[in-house]
Every structure is written in C-alpha cells, then in structure tokens.
Amino acid sequence: MGQPVFWSALLAVSVAGVGVRVLARRPLLPRLAKELGRWELAVAGASLLALVFHCLAMFFAGWVDVVPFLRAPAAAIRAMGTVSQVAYWVPAALLLVAVRRVWPIAVAVLAVMLAGVGVTMYWPFALTTHLAWIAAAVVGVVVIASVLVRARPSTTATA
C-alpha cells in the first residue's frame, strides 16, 4: 500500500471513529467507559496534537515547512536527535497519564503500541514496520476515545 493510501486510510478511521462517537452521543461501551476530567481531556488532546505534529514533520515536511514558525521545530524533529525523542516520548507518556483511568487493558495495549511506534522510529527498523505500529496506535487511540472515554457532565445548570 502506498503512503498516500495509508495516511488516507488512517484519516478515514479517525474521522469515522469520531463521527460514530459524536452521533452516538455516548461512549460505545458505556459499562466500561470512565469519566475523564477536563484537565485529562486537555492533556490528551494536547498530547495527540504534539504526536500528530511529530508525524507531520517526519512524513509531510513539505507541507509543514510552508508555515514559517513550524520550520525550526519540524527540522529538529527530523534530525532524530534528543529534541525529536523528547518531542515523541513526552507527549506519548502524557497521553498515557491522561487516560490512565480508562480500562487498564486498553491503557496497557496503548502503551505497547506507543512504545512500538517509538522503538521502530529510533531503532533500525523497516519503514513498513514503523507504519504498522503507527496504524495500530491510531486505531488504539480511536477505540479508546470512541468506546471507553466519557467526559464529565457540565456542572453549569441550564434552565
């Protein structure tokens, strides 16, 4: 499978997962779902944005480098040094912290998937192996978000 098809498929899976969740208006497995607070959702969202930026910097350099203030951080990520490692491992760890109260098996599987992405990125593995781990991690995040996470109800009264 070519990379355009790969990235399009991951985008489609992500949009479909979010779409199903929005249409359902509740977690798809409410008995297993856990409430996450606003700060946990914010940390998860920020972590996901940072991880998406990492992938964009690596795989879509031409698009990212068009934005002047993104060139330097993207170049540091592409250098695959300490900055790149911090830019991957810190958001990956924070994502796990943010979803730590979700079903433990799902969090453990997500941890393995995120570790797989990092290991295959920074150690000498074939690109296809790395892409397979990315696909697994994306599916894992989508499943957790659509099936196992419930936002806390708003405390503001509506009258």
Side-chain angles (χ1 to χ4, degrees):
M1 172 177 358
Q3 278 201 41
V5 174
F6 173 80
W7 294 111
S8 297
L10 285 185
L11 181 61
V13 165
S14 300
V15 169
V18 170
V20 168
R21 172 59 193 263
V22 167
L23 289 174
R25 294 186 176 165
R26 63 175 179 79
L28 300 179
L29 286 177
R31 293 179 61 148
L32 286 178
K34 297 290 184 193
E35 281 186 1
L36 296 185
R38 290 180 193 256
W39 78 268
E40 292 163 318
L41 294 172
V43 168
S47 297
L48 288 172
L49 284 175
L51 292 170
V52 166
F53 177 71
H54 200 285
C55 277
L56 289 172
M58 297 296 289
F59 292 102
F60 298 92
W63 294 3
V64 172
D65 289 346
V66 169
V67 183
F69 65 89
L70 295 180
R71 277 189 205 130
I77 287 170
R78 285 191 295 272
M80 300 291 284
T82 303
V83 171
S84 182
Q85 292 230 17
V86 168
Y88 178 75
W89 292 111
V90 169
L94 287 173
L95 178 59
L96 292 171
V97 168
V99 300
R100 73 195 178 286
R101 293 188 298 113
V102 172
W103 189 42
I105 292 172
V107 175
V109 169
L110 181 60
V112 169
M113 291 173 182
L114 291 170
V117 170
V119 166
T120 58
M121 180 176 7
Y122 295 109
W123 293 1
F125 282 88
L127 177 61
T128 53
T129 304
H130 181 57
L131 294 176
W133 280 103
I134 289 173
V138 168
V139 170
V141 167
V142 168
V143 167
I144 287 173
S146 61
V147 174
L148 298 172
V149 172
R150 178 177 31 241
R152 259 194 203 121
S154 176
T155 56
T156 59
T158 56

